[in-house]
Amino acid sequence: MSANQQSYKKSSFGPAFFFLGKRRREALANYYEFCRLMDDIADEPNIPAPAAQLAQWKEEIARVYRGTPQTDLGRRLAQDVQAFSIPQDRFLLLIEGMQADLEGRCYPTQAELDWYIYRVAVAVGLATLDILGLQGPAAGALALHQGTAVQLTNIIRDVPDDARLGRVYLPDDLLTRFGLSRQDVLQNRNPRVLAAALKEMAARTQEEYARAFACMRGFARLKMIPCRVMGYVYLKNLAKIRKTGFIFTRPVKLTKGEKLNCIFYALLKTFF
């Protein structure tokens, strides 16, 4: 078992997957490991030749689908792809999103930010639902709304850390509406005005959570436990950020105890 798989199984999200079969849990762990690896390549400062590494993984995914993977992770993913009919774009779209991060891509409009969100979050949600055995238009709608909600929460939460990396994910049209520039965000100028912009983004995020939870009602309760847990955890994180008035200099995150409370609440909502 890889270190990434171990961290996945030991994380506070572990109980969310207790009700899944062993094979589905393994496949989710493998896909999580792939996502974590791509994220590290794009974000970690000491990764050598990150663009080349992403290109190598793009080639490895092609080999996964040809049945000739060369890495241990690739071989595990090849088994999962066959077992759960996971389309290739679940991997390639994520890599494309990570390439956009490396290139320092900016997002002039919300529509262009949605392009990025689809790649780094919605595609991941679709792969998760593939592994849960859920595909089709209803699954697509759930992945779209929950993936968008989670990624918007991440964007709001990570504004300080992203600024330290020289990145701004808030769309330019939102900033312009509040009289802000990318440099204002990067240098933490006008934090109260920025807070107002984040509050507006949080309102859209809240709507996406509501749509996601509504979508969940159309599926078997047990299969929705991982989705419900993820939704409640990130929704709670958004609520904790809101309590700061959207003025913070470090990402606002939940404690392990707060995450566990969300898990118990999700289980309570599932069974009662």
Side-chain angles (χ1 to χ4, degrees):
M1 184 188 299
S2 71
N4 273 331
Q5 277 191 315
Q6 288 176 337
S7 64
Y8 170 84
K9 292 177 181 293
K10 292 179 180 178
S11 75
S12 56
F13 290 106
F17 302 94
F18 176 79
F19 294 93
L20 300 178
K22 180 175 180 290
R23 186 66 187 87
R24 294 189 196 277
R25 291 199 305 270
E26 290 174 345
L28 284 168
N30 292 333
Y31 188 73
Y32 173 90
E33 182 177 350
F34 172 79
C35 294
R36 183 74 263 168
L37 179 58
M38 297 305 101
D39 192 58
D40 286 346
I41 290 172
D43 287 351
E44 292 299 321
N46 298 321
I47 296 290
Q53 288 200 44
L54 289 179
Q56 289 168 4
W57 271 102
K58 189 174 181 179
E59 294 171 0
E60 175 69 346
I61 293 303
R63 289 190 291 268
V64 164
Y65 280 83
R66 290 198 301 266
T68 58
Q70 296 180 356
T71 65
D72 174 66
L73 176 56
R75 285 186 283 272
R76 285 183 274 126
L77 291 173
Q79 294 176 345
D80 299 336
V81 161
Q82 287 194 338
F84 301 106
S85 302
I86 306 172
Q88 191 171 3
D89 68 355
R90 308 316 196 223
F91 301 92
L92 297 182
L93 286 172
L94 180 62
I95 292 174
E96 190 175 354
M98 296 301 100
Q99 289 171 330
D101 280 344
L102 286 181
E103 294 164 3
R105 183 166 178 155
C106 301
Y107 302 98
T109 66
Q110 181 63 55
E112 287 167 283
L113 179 62
D114 288 342
W115 175 93
Y116 172 77
I117 289 172
Y118 194 91
R119 281 148 182 79
V120 301
V122 178
V124 174
L126 288 168
T128 300
L129 293 174
D130 292 333
I131 294 168
L132 294 177
L134 303 171
Q135 293 179 322
L142 172 56
L144 176 64
H145 294 306
Q146 179 137 327
T148 299
V150 165
Q151 191 60 32
L152 287 174
T153 302
N154 285 339
I155 288 171
I156 294 168
R157 181 196 68 195
D158 293 339
V159 165
D161 275 359
D162 288 334
R164 283 187 276 273
L165 292 171
R167 298 175 181 173
V168 177
Y169 291 96
L170 305 177
D172 292 342
D173 59 358
L174 173 66
L175 296 176
T176 300
R177 207 157 56 246
F178 284 87
L180 295 168
S181 68
R182 287 173 52 82
Q183 283 303 312
D184 290 330
V185 179
L186 291 171
Q187 298 175 22
N188 194 31
R189 295 195 298 246
N190 301 320
R192 293 192 177 280
V193 179
L194 176 58
L198 294 178
K199 183 178 180 180
E200 181 175 304
M201 179 173 274
R204 182 204 169 186
T205 306
Q206 193 87 26
E207 292 172 358
E208 293 291 347
Y209 280 118
R211 294 187 182 105
F213 285 122
C215 287
M216 290 179 203
R217 291 197 289 269
F219 296 97
R221 291 182 303 166
L222 290 182
K223 287 199 173 184
M224 283 296 100
I225 289 177
C227 301
R228 197 179 296 277
V229 166
M230 189 68 68
Y232 283 130
V233 166
Y234 277 87
L235 184 58
K236 177 67 173 178
N237 201 168
L238 183 63
K240 192 171 182 177
I241 295 168
R242 186 177 285 108
K243 287 182 179 179
T244 71
F246 297 96
I247 297 177
F248 50 93
T249 57
R250 298 179 63 183
V252 178
K253 298 184 180 182
L254 299 183
T255 65
K256 186 174 182 179
E258 288 170 330
K259 288 183 180 180
L260 288 173
N261 284 338
C262 291
I263 291 171
F264 294 142
Y265 181 70
L267 294 176
L268 185 68
K269 294 287 285 185
T270 297
F271 293 107
F272 302 102

